[in-house]
């Protein structure tokens, strides 16, 4: 088997792309890894396309990607660095598109809010490439997880919004280059 063709070593919970529905791929299923992005995997089988969460990398015989220094968040004092949150959001991908959600222009705003307990939360407003995208909740959950992994962030709320409607002009130059649009 090539490096990108794998036999699942155990059953694994996956998400059907693009519907966003849960599914189980069984041990022994042959998959082709099409993307290794943001710590997650997009795989194809004759049954279709699926997202395998990074926590299940071992089912593919892959290493679990490190999320960095987990103690950094525990020991952080003061507000989080806004750029660090943006950098973590750049680790979130639509499983069908090999460009992160920031460079796709899907993140409209990011607000750091001091909580009553002196901790900091983040409010993120983002959209999707299409209103009917079944992967929206999965992408929003990934964004929330990545935001909370930022030192100084204790909680994150990610809201999916539809105004203004997303269009390809919102993609960054880097994203357009990745997609071959320029």
């Amino acid at each position: 088997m090539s490096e990108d063709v794998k036999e699942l070593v155990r059953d694994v919970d996956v998400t059907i792309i693009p519907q966003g529905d849960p599914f189980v791929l069984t041990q022994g299923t042959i998959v082709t890894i099409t993307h290794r992005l943001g710590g997650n995997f997009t795989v194809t089988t004759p049954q279709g396309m699926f997202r395998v969460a990074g926590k299940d990398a071992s089912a593919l015989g892959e290493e679990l990607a490190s999320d960095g220094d987990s103690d950094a968040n525990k020991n952080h004092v003061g507000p989080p660095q806004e750029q660090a949150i943006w950098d973590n959001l750049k680790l979130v991908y639509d499983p069908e598109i090999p460009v992160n959600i920031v460079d796709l222009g899907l993140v409209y705003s990011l607000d750091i809010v001091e909580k009553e307990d002196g901790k900091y939360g983040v409010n993120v407003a983002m959209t999707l490439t299409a209103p009917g995208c079944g992967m929206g909740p999965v992408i929003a959950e990934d964004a929330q997880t990545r935001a909370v992994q930022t030192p100084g962030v204790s909680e994150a709320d990610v809201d999916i919004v539809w105004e203004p409607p997303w269009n390809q002009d919102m993609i960054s130059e880097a994203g357009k280059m990745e997609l071959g649009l320029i």
Side-chain angles (χ1 to χ4, degrees), residues 70-93:
S70 60
D71 288 333
N73 207 352
K74 293 178 198 166
N75 299 327
H76 185 87
V77 177
Q81 297 295 313
E82 183 175 340
Q83 187 59 52
I85 301 167
W86 283 106
D87 290 345
N88 274 350
L89 290 176
K90 284 186 173 188
L91 299 173
V92 178
Y93 290 82

Side-chain angles (χ1 to χ4, degrees), residues 4-158:
D4 290 333
V5 177
K6 305 281 187 167
E7 181 176 339
L8 294 179
V9 298
R10 63 175 169 82
D11 291 357
V12 64
D13 293 325
V14 297
T15 304
I16 302 171
I17 301 170
Q19 295 90 337
D21 297 327
F23 190 75
V24 176
L25 289 176
T26 57
Q27 178 179 350
T29 300
I30 304 298
V31 302
T32 301
I33 300 173
T34 59
H35 297 125
R36 289 176 175 87
L37 300 169
N40 299 310
F41 303 86
T42 299
V43 302
T44 59
T45 74
Q47 296 170 285
M49 184 181 293
F50 305 91
R51 176 189 177 271
V52 178
K55 67 179 180 60
D56 290 314
S58 64
L60 296 164
E62 297 272 323
E63 295 281 327
L64 177 64
S66 170
D67 288 327
D69 183 6
S70 60
D71 288 333
N73 207 352
K74 293 178 198 166
N75 299 327
H76 185 87
V77 177
Q81 297 295 313
E82 183 175 340
Q83 187 59 52
I85 301 167
W86 283 106
D87 290 345
N88 274 350
L89 290 176
K90 284 186 173 188
L91 299 173
V92 178
Y93 290 82
D94 179 317
E96 294 181 280
I97 304 171
V99 176
N100 68 71
I101 62 172
V102 173
D103 285 329
L104 274 175
L106 298 179
V107 179
Y108 287 168
S109 67
L110 181 156
D111 296 309
I112 299 170
V113 180
E114 185 172 5
K115 302 294 184 178
E116 288 182 18
D117 59 5
K119 295 182 180 180
Y120 292 86
V122 175
N123 296 324
V124 177
M126 65 171 288
T127 194
L128 304 170
T129 57
C133 177
M135 294 301 293
V138 173
I139 296 167
E141 182 180 329
D142 282 352
Q144 180 182 31
T145 298
R146 290 296 182 172
V148 169
Q149 289 173 345
T150 308
V153 176
S154 63
E155 65 182 64
D157 292 315
V158 177

